[in-house]
Amino acid sequence: MADDKDVLRDVWFGRIPTCFTLNPDEVTEREAEAYYLLLPRVSYLPVVTDKVKKHFLKVMRAEDVEEMWFEYEGTPLKWHYPIGVLFDLHASNTVLPWNITVHFKNFPDQDLLHCPSNSIVEAHFMSSIKEADALKHKSQVVNDMQKKDHKQLWMGLQNDKFDQFWAMNRKLMEYPTEDGGFRYIPFRIYQTLSDRPFIQKLFRPVSPDCNAHTLGDLLKEMYPDALTNDGERKRYQVLIHGIEPLLETPLQWLSEHLSHPDNFLHICVVPVPTD
Amino acid sequence: MAERRADCSWKRHISDQLKLRDRVQRHTFEEIVQQYNRLLEKSDLQAVLTERYQTEKYDVQRGHEASSLDASRSDSLHQEMSQMRIRHQEELTELHKKRGELAQTVIELNNQIQQKDREIQSNEARMLEYQQQIASLEGDCRDLRNSLQELEMANQTLKDEYDALQITFSALEEKLRKTSEDNQELVSRWMAEKALEANRLNAENEKDTRRRQAKLQKDLADAAKEPLPIEQDDDIEVLAEDGGKGAGETSPNRPISRTASRKTSQQPQGGLLDSISNIFGRRSANSFSTSPETTEPPSGGCAEVRVPTTALHVFEAHDGEVNTVRFSPGSRLLATGGMDRRVKLWEVVAGRCEAKGALTGSNAGITSIDFDSAGSYLLAASNDFASRIWTMDDYRLRHTLTGHSGKVLSARFLLDNARIVSGSYDRTLKLWDLRSKVCMKTVFAGSSCNDIVCTEQCVMSGHFDKKVRFWDIRAESIVREMELLGRVTSLDLNHDRSELLTCSRDDVLQIIDLRSNAVRQTFSAQGFKCGADWTRVTFSPDGSYVAGGSADGALYVWNVLTGKLDRTLDRNHSSAINSVSWSPSGTYVASVEKGSRAILWSDM
């Protein structure tokens, strides 16, 4: 349907206005201006922040530069999460632009992984795709694809090419019609205040009596606190790509259209802001 | 519809939310960020430029030492950038190369995979084929086994049938044997009865004739007692004392008239008796020979038999071998047959043979001659497989009887003169009917037939296989066989057909009594050797002598009564004697030899 294609395009081309500010503690030769950038929701920080690095390296001395890392309001930002997830999780209801602080020193080894090059990101991205396909098709589809197809997926993401990416990705979104959907839905539910990084469990898109499961069924199963019982005040927001889908949205459709490029449905559950 | 609407509602909600988000998060900031970045770039550039210009100013002020630094700084920037570009291009080309290589390996692997697929397919096809073959072979095997079973069953049934048939066959054989035995028994009994019957008839006949004879004698005695006027005649001939110098043939009437003039002597009386009884032609009177005391039992011949002592006439009869000789029943004619294909007729006149004529028509040598009982026909058997009949009046060939497939060695008239029996080298005897001139019967004798004689009921044939076969004319089958010790070359019957004379190659003549079927006498002599398979011997007309010619050219005469050799006449023939014939009158004996000579003998 044309609507679905539009949805896919909107999801792909989603942007977050970000303002990169250099950490004041960093030693600079001159004062560094903030760098504004529209970050793609679906990409990863190391991929899209070359310009940021270049910009800030102009004012830094080479010997002071170690691996660049970002943090927001004290929280180091994990580069292996998609940018949209980071934003929804940490700063969904804050004033835009998103202010990220750029650090070049004191890399927090406890909180972050090192990312020396883009190939690490590529490896992580491909691994996510494979994991997702393992859940969806028992890895058949991704294993049938050739190396160049995998490369195409990564290049599509890296170079922000919607058509190139989706030429390959649509294969991963296919399922045999008699099943009614994927084997299991690849999803992760992120919570703000929890020691668990995310919730990921096996969940079928179709119930045994051939009813399509909805987002509400998933939440009821996985994170029932997120749901609002009748009469109660809404406590949590369920965000996917920065929007709150209706709870009766079919899960299969969500997985097909609202997944990230790594084929996972990243769901952020954030508390409703109390202004 | 509700679903569609429900679908649409959440979908619409999502797309609305996305649009809202974009509007809030993106569109509001997009333009600003772009412009900001451009400004940033510009300011950077400005900063770089001002720095450069400042340094240039410094350089100009300070001199060339610093300029290189600044220049180098900006240069270094450019160099950096160009280096980066070069590196990027290198990376790009490398990546292109790698991509090419990878594509190549991909193609090769694809080819290999296709090959393997094809191999797999062909193997599977072959397996299918083999499986099909196996299935068809199994089917064939099953069929063969079934057919084998069926064949075995059929075989078994056939064997059973065969056994059953074998049993019935042996039973039937047994029955056949028994019935044939019974048949044999019955036939022999019947034959015995018939023989008894015949004997009885014979005895009766004998009695009858004896009675008649006695009566006749009595009558004659009575008649003789009556005085009769007799005239002295010049030509009164006493048969008893003279040897028949003149005519070889004595007419039966003359003795009666002649001897009627004599009254006293016993002998003329006997002669009268003899002559009278000669009319009836059956009873053999006392034969007159040089020994008058001989009272010989009645044997064949109506004449006074004279044992030959001298050769009256030696003459060349034929060009070539003379095979056979025969006197006519009237003793006037002599017929000889030879290898020159002719039958020559001689008239016996005064002790000499005058050539009377020759009968032609045969295509090969003559083997045997027979006159019919009237003397009007002459039958000659020939080597050209045929027998011929001429009339004696005009010497014309009347019939030719062909049909044998070998030389006809002997041909005889049957006693009714209407049929002829001929024996041939082709081991058959044929019976011919003269009226229709066709062969009525052919019997297979089993051996080449050398000579034939006939009685009223019986035909006797002598064969190469040493057997004499007796055939019943009416039944046309063998009655009896007698085996001798040598090949039978000649047969002759005595006057009353009670005895059979045989000559065989073991140089022995035998007389067989026909009623008892036993050899009565055997004659042999040192020096008598049978010259050929067709050497013919003969009885004297009264049956008291037998004569035969030997291979050394000597004529042997035996006395039947004594069984001893009576005479040997050996100085006249120069080669082996083929055939001997005694005239029915008893006066002459003719013999012919291999060397074309014929000799007429008598006792003068």
Side-chain angles (χ1 to χ4, degrees):
Chain A
M1 290 211 314
D3 291 348
D4 289 350
K5 199 79 189 293
D6 288 342
V7 167
L8 291 176
R9 293 191 87 88
D10 288 342
V11 163
W12 179 269
F13 288 111
R15 293 278 186 270
I16 300 176
T18 321
C19 173
F20 288 94
T21 342
L22 191 61
N23 181 21
D25 294 341
E26 303 286 333
V27 178
T28 59
E29 288 177 358
R30 331 184 273 278
E31 189 188 345
E33 294 96 349
Y35 194 79
Y36 285 84
L37 197 55
L38 279 175
L39 294 179
R41 272 181 168 270
V42 299
S43 187
Y44 298 87
L45 280 171
V47 177
V48 298
T49 49
D50 281 340
K51 283 202 189 139
V52 174
K53 188 169 187 177
K54 216 192 316 175
H55 171 82
F56 285 118
L57 282 179
K58 275 195 282 199
V59 297
M60 304 259 320
R61 285 183 306 180
E63 56 269 25
D64 295 333
V65 170
E66 288 160 13
E67 190 167 340
M68 181 169 68
W69 58 278
F70 305 97
E71 61 89 8
Y72 171 73
E73 296 201 343
T75 320
L77 294 177
K78 304 187 200 301
W79 63 261
H80 55 276
Y81 285 7
I83 297 170
V85 173
L86 288 169
F87 176 76
D88 289 340
L89 202 54
H90 298 293
S92 57
N93 291 305
T94 58
V95 171
L96 297 168
W98 190 20
N99 283 308
I100 294 182
T101 320
V102 180
H103 295 260
F104 284 101
K105 283 226 280 275
N106 303 321
F107 192 90
D109 290 316
Q110 267 67 11
D111 300 320
L112 293 183
L113 300 165
H114 285 273
C115 181
S117 74
N118 275 0
S119 52
I120 307 290
V121 186
E122 180 188 355
H124 167 72
F125 174 69
M126 291 314 299
S127 131
S128 296
I129 285 187
K130 287 178 185 166
E131 188 182 341
D133 198 56
L135 288 170
K136 286 199 281 191
H137 305 117
K138 293 204 251 192
S139 301
Q140 276 165 3
V141 179
V142 78
N143 285 340
D144 280 343
M145 290 163 72
Q146 296 173 346
K147 188 83 169 53
K148 68 168 167 60
D149 299 333
H150 296 168
K151 202 70 180 177
Q152 186 174 339
L153 287 167
W154 167 246
M155 299 307 280
L157 176 68
Q158 190 183 36
N159 302 328
D160 194 26
K161 296 267 192 286
F162 173 78
D163 296 312
Q164 186 184 13
F165 177 80
W166 270 99
M168 279 300 129
N169 199 40
R170 62 181 175 75
K171 289 192 199 161
L172 292 166
M173 291 304 173
E174 288 166 349
Y175 56 88
T177 41
E178 62 265 19
D179 292 350
F182 302 133
R183 192 150 179 264
Y184 296 106
I185 297 290
F187 68 91
R188 285 186 185 147
I189 302 181
Y190 299 87
Q191 306 154 336
T192 44
L193 302 161
S194 166
D195 33 355
R196 287 167 82 180
F198 48 77
I199 302 174
Q200 181 178 348
K201 287 207 192 130
L202 292 176
F203 193 78
R204 290 201 187 272
V206 181
S207 71
D209 42 337
C210 294
N211 290 332
H213 281 144
T214 65
L215 179 58
D217 297 332
L218 175 70
L219 288 172
K220 205 187 311 184
E221 180 84 24
M222 299 296 161
Y223 191 19
D225 289 341
L227 297 171
T228 320
N229 299 330
D230 293 334
E232 277 187 352
R233 201 170 47 86
K234 189 164 167 198
R235 281 178 289 140
Y236 290 101
Q237 267 180 321
V238 176
L239 293 172
I240 307 178
H241 285 290
I243 61 167
E244 275 189 81
L246 295 176
L247 288 176
E248 58 260 29
T249 317
L251 201 56
Q252 172 68 25
W253 188 91
L254 278 178
S255 176
E256 282 174 41
H257 297 84
L258 251 60
S259 297
H260 281 254
D262 63 354
N263 281 223
F264 267 90
L265 198 61
H266 297 279
I267 304 172
C268 302
V269 177
V270 295
V272 167
T274 49
D275 303 315
Chain B
M1 276 303 283
E3 250 185 51
R4 286 285 312 267
R5 241 182 279 132
D7 282 354
C8 292
S9 75
W10 54 255
K11 218 182 271 190
R12 227 184 312 123
H13 171 84
I14 283 175
S15 54
D16 290 344
Q17 286 280 309
L18 282 170
K19 296 234 174 6
L20 181 65
R21 176 202 76 180
D22 281 344
R23 227 185 307 132
V24 168
Q25 293 178 357
R26 179 180 175 149
H27 298 306
T28 39
F29 289 91
E30 200 166 6
E31 198 63 42
I32 289 177
V33 170
Q34 265 183 6
Q35 296 295 341
Y36 174 83
N37 285 333
R38 224 184 292 156
L39 280 172
L40 207 58
E41 272 179 41
K42 263 199 214 158
S43 81
D44 281 340
L45 198 60
Q46 295 277 23
V48 166
L49 281 173
T50 49
E51 264 196 59
R52 203 192 296 170
Y53 290 147
Q54 270 195 347
T55 51
E56 273 184 20
K57 224 175 35 180
Y58 269 130
D59 286 339
V60 166
Q61 283 180 1
R62 281 218 218 139
H64 295 280
E65 302 129 337
S67 63
S68 54
L69 270 169
D70 294 326
S72 70
R73 252 190 117 192
S74 60
D75 276 341
S76 72
L77 226 128
H78 281 286
Q79 267 181 23
E80 255 183 62
M81 284 178 52
S82 56
Q83 267 178 26
M84 257 173 50
R85 205 184 305 133
I86 290 170
R87 232 185 302 140
H88 281 210
Q89 279 195 356
E90 279 176 14
E91 265 184 53
L92 195 65
T93 48
E94 240 186 78
L95 285 173
H96 275 302
K97 236 192 281 171
K98 261 198 225 160
R99 195 177 70 167
E101 283 172 18
L102 287 173
Q104 188 72 23
T105 48
V106 162
I107 288 169
E108 280 175 23
L109 288 172
N110 273 346
N111 284 343
Q112 278 184 5
I113 285 177
Q114 277 176 8
Q115 226 183 343
K116 294 286 188 273
D117 279 338
R118 255 179 275 136
E119 278 180 30
I120 285 175
Q121 271 179 5
S122 69
N123 281 345
E124 279 184 15
R126 246 186 285 154
M127 265 191 356
L128 259 169
E129 248 185 68
Y130 289 148
Q131 275 179 352
Q132 277 175 1
Q133 261 187 346
I134 286 174
S136 73
L137 285 172
E138 279 183 11
D140 288 341
C141 187
R142 244 179 290 127
D143 291 336
L144 287 172
R145 248 181 263 142
N146 284 343
S147 64
L148 184 71
Q149 270 184 352
E150 285 173 22
L151 286 173
E152 279 184 9
M153 278 183 0
N155 192 22
Q156 190 60 30
T157 50
L158 283 173
K159 270 199 213 154
D160 294 337
E161 278 180 29
Y162 173 72
D163 287 336
L165 283 172
Q166 189 80 330
I167 289 172
T168 47
F169 171 69
S170 50
L172 285 172
E173 239 190 343
E174 189 65 33
K175 233 202 277 179
L176 174 71
R177 201 172 44 77
K178 256 189 258 166
T179 45
S180 56
E181 276 178 19
D182 289 341
N183 187 31
Q184 285 281 70
E185 211 197 297
L186 287 169
V187 164
S188 57
R189 248 194 280 161
W190 183 42
M191 293 308 303
E193 292 286 327
K194 271 204 126 174
L196 282 174
E197 186 78 25
N199 285 345
R200 227 182 302 128
L201 276 171
N202 280 341
E204 275 198 33
N205 280 343
E206 270 194 48
K207 242 191 283 169
D208 227 10
T209 47
R210 242 180 266 148
R211 222 186 309 127
R212 248 183 273 152
Q213 187 79 349
K215 188 155 164 277
L216 192 59
Q217 277 192 353
K218 215 171 86 201
D219 285 339
L220 286 171
D222 291 341
K225 285 200 192 107
E226 291 179 18
L228 286 166
I230 307 167
E231 309 159 347
Q232 281 287 5
D233 238 347
D234 285 349
D235 50 354
I236 289 175
E237 291 185 13
V238 180
L239 287 166
E241 299 301 346
D242 330 283
K245 196 164 191 227
E249 191 173 66
T250 53
S251 68
N253 290 316
R254 251 191 270 154
I256 295 177
S257 56
R258 301 270 163 77
T259 52
S261 58
R262 298 274 195 117
K263 282 199 261 189
T264 46
S265 58
Q266 172 78 344
Q267 292 158 334
Q269 205 175 6
L272 176 64
L273 276 173
D274 284 348
S275 46
I276 289 175
S277 63
N278 192 38
I279 296 170
F280 302 99
R282 273 206 294 165
R283 253 332 171 148
S284 52
N286 293 327
S287 57
F288 286 87
S289 60
T290 51
S291 47
E293 74 271 13
T294 54
T295 47
E296 308 190 8
S299 42
C302 59
E304 310 142 10
V305 170
R306 302 181 183 171
V307 179
T309 49
T310 51
L312 287 183
H313 188 188
V314 178
F315 57 98
E316 298 288 326
H318 288 267
D319 318 316
E321 235 179 278
V322 189
N323 285 331
T324 177
V325 63
R326 182 117 15 222
F327 276 96
S328 69
S331 303
R332 207 165 38 88
L333 283 176
L334 181 67
T336 55
M339 293 304 270
D340 65 350
R341 309 194 307 273
R342 282 197 195 67
V343 178
K344 291 215 178 142
L345 296 167
W346 315 85
E347 192 167 355
V348 182
V349 165
R352 291 187 63 78
C353 295
E354 308 288 336
K356 197 90 185 299
L359 302 174
T360 51
S362 174
N363 300 320
I366 306 289
T367 52
S368 129
I369 296 179
D370 191 34
F371 284 91
D372 69 338
S373 49
S376 48
Y377 290 100
L378 185 143
L379 167 68
S382 163
N383 278 342
D384 66 353
F385 309 171
S387 322
R388 288 178 181 75
I389 297 176
W390 290 261
T391 43
M392 283 290 97
D393 311 328
D394 48 6
Y395 303 157
R396 275 182 60 199
L397 174 63
R398 287 290 161 178
H399 311 303
T400 306
L401 305 170
T402 53
H404 275 295
S405 48
K407 306 188 277 213
V408 187
L409 297 170
S410 172
R412 290 298 155 109
F413 283 98
L414 286 189
L415 290 180
D416 56 4
N417 288 342
R419 287 178 290 179
I420 285 171
V421 60
S422 63
S424 160
Y425 184 74
D426 67 355
R427 305 192 211 132
T428 61
L429 277 83
K430 281 186 189 274
L431 186 68
W432 312 80
D433 180 66
L434 278 183
R435 274 183 285 270
S436 52
K437 298 169 197 105
V438 293
C439 169
M440 286 185 341
K441 179 96 176 121
T442 306
V443 289
F444 182 68
S447 173
S448 165
C449 166
N450 284 335
D451 204 359
I452 300 182
V453 291
C454 325
T455 63
E456 293 104 345
Q457 302 125 320
C458 195
V459 170
M460 283 149 263
S461 58
H463 291 270
F464 186 87
D465 63 347
K466 311 177 195 169
K467 289 198 181 143
V468 178
R469 292 185 167 83
F470 297 77
W471 309 81
D472 186 306
I473 296 173
R474 268 184 294 275
E476 295 165 353
S477 62
I478 283 198
V479 172
R480 204 177 311 122
E481 276 179 12
M482 283 188 72
E483 184 149 356
L484 303 179
L485 294 168
R487 298 199 280 277
V488 180
T489 71
S490 168
L491 297 174
D492 196 21
L493 284 172
N494 66 349
H495 189 77
D496 60 3
R497 290 177 221 103
S498 60
E499 287 170 2
L500 178 69
L501 171 68
T502 65
C503 171
S504 48
R505 280 313 288 269
D506 60 343
D507 311 326
V508 150
L509 276 72
Q510 287 177 321
I511 289 186
I512 297 170
D513 185 327
L514 286 177
R515 277 176 225 142
S516 62
N517 292 316
V519 175
R520 218 159 59 87
Q521 274 172 296
T522 308
F523 304 99
S524 65
Q526 193 185 19
F528 174 74
K529 296 216 175 9
C530 209
D533 277 358
W534 50 84
T535 305
R536 298 277 147 82
V537 300
T538 182
F539 263 114
S540 62
D542 60 355
S544 51
Y545 293 93
V546 295
S550 154
D552 56 4
L555 184 66
Y556 290 80
V557 182
W558 290 268
N559 188 318
V560 172
L561 274 183
T562 60
K564 291 209 192 35
L565 180 66
D566 199 275
R567 209 152 301 199
T568 309
L569 307 161
D570 58 357
R571 251 169 284 125
N572 298 76
H573 273 293
S574 51
S575 51
I577 296 180
N578 272 336
S579 181
V580 178
S581 181
W582 210 305
S583 69
S585 63
T587 23
Y588 296 101
V589 172
S591 63
V592 292
E593 65 166 33
K594 254 198 174 96
S596 78
R597 251 196 260 178
I599 299 187
L600 187 68
W601 307 80
S602 189
D603 65 346
M604 285 185 307

